[in-house]
Amino acid sequence: MLYFNRTVMDLRHTFATQLVQRGQDLYKVTELLGHKSISVTVRYAHHYPESLRTSVEVLDRDYYNSTTAEVQQKLECLTER
């Protein structure tokens, strides 16, 4: 019985981790696992370093795109003069 319980726990950890690493919201994972608290889900779901890096890259990409657009706008204003 102990082996069965350990296997089920491992599957729950894998399930939660796979969902979170694929970008699913923690609130949805909490519901799917039937947890009453998101803090329990956080213990089940683990990030790997690459997933954290891609999150920061989203911010970099958004900043770069907005900065590029602003620069292009200024250049257009200068060339219209």
Side-chain angles (χ1 to χ4, degrees):
M1 188 65 166
L2 180 62
Y3 176 76
F4 176 76
N5 287 340
R6 180 71 179 148
T7 302
V8 170
M9 281 183 48
D10 287 344
L11 288 173
R12 289 173 65 81
H13 280 271
T14 301
F15 179 75
T17 300
Q18 293 289 322
L19 286 172
V20 170
Q21 288 179 352
R22 285 174 172 74
Q24 292 303 307
D25 186 85
L26 274 176
Y27 293 104
K28 291 177 185 175
V29 178
T30 299
E31 285 293 316
L32 289 168
L33 291 173
H35 294 155
K36 292 181 178 155
S37 167
I38 199 166
S39 62
V40 176
T41 306
V42 170
R43 285 187 285 176
Y44 274 83
H46 306 286
H47 281 284
Y48 60 102
E50 189 60 32
S51 73
L52 299 174
R53 182 173 308 140
T54 56
S55 297
V56 173
E57 287 173 354
V58 167
L59 293 175
D60 287 343
R61 188 171 49 247
D62 289 348
Y63 175 77
Y64 175 76
N65 287 338
S66 67
T67 303
T68 303
E70 290 169 6
V71 169
Q72 286 175 345
Q73 262 184 335
K74 289 178 183 177
L75 284 173
E76 287 173 5
C77 288
L78 289 173
T79 55
E80 290 174 0
R81 290 183 185 178

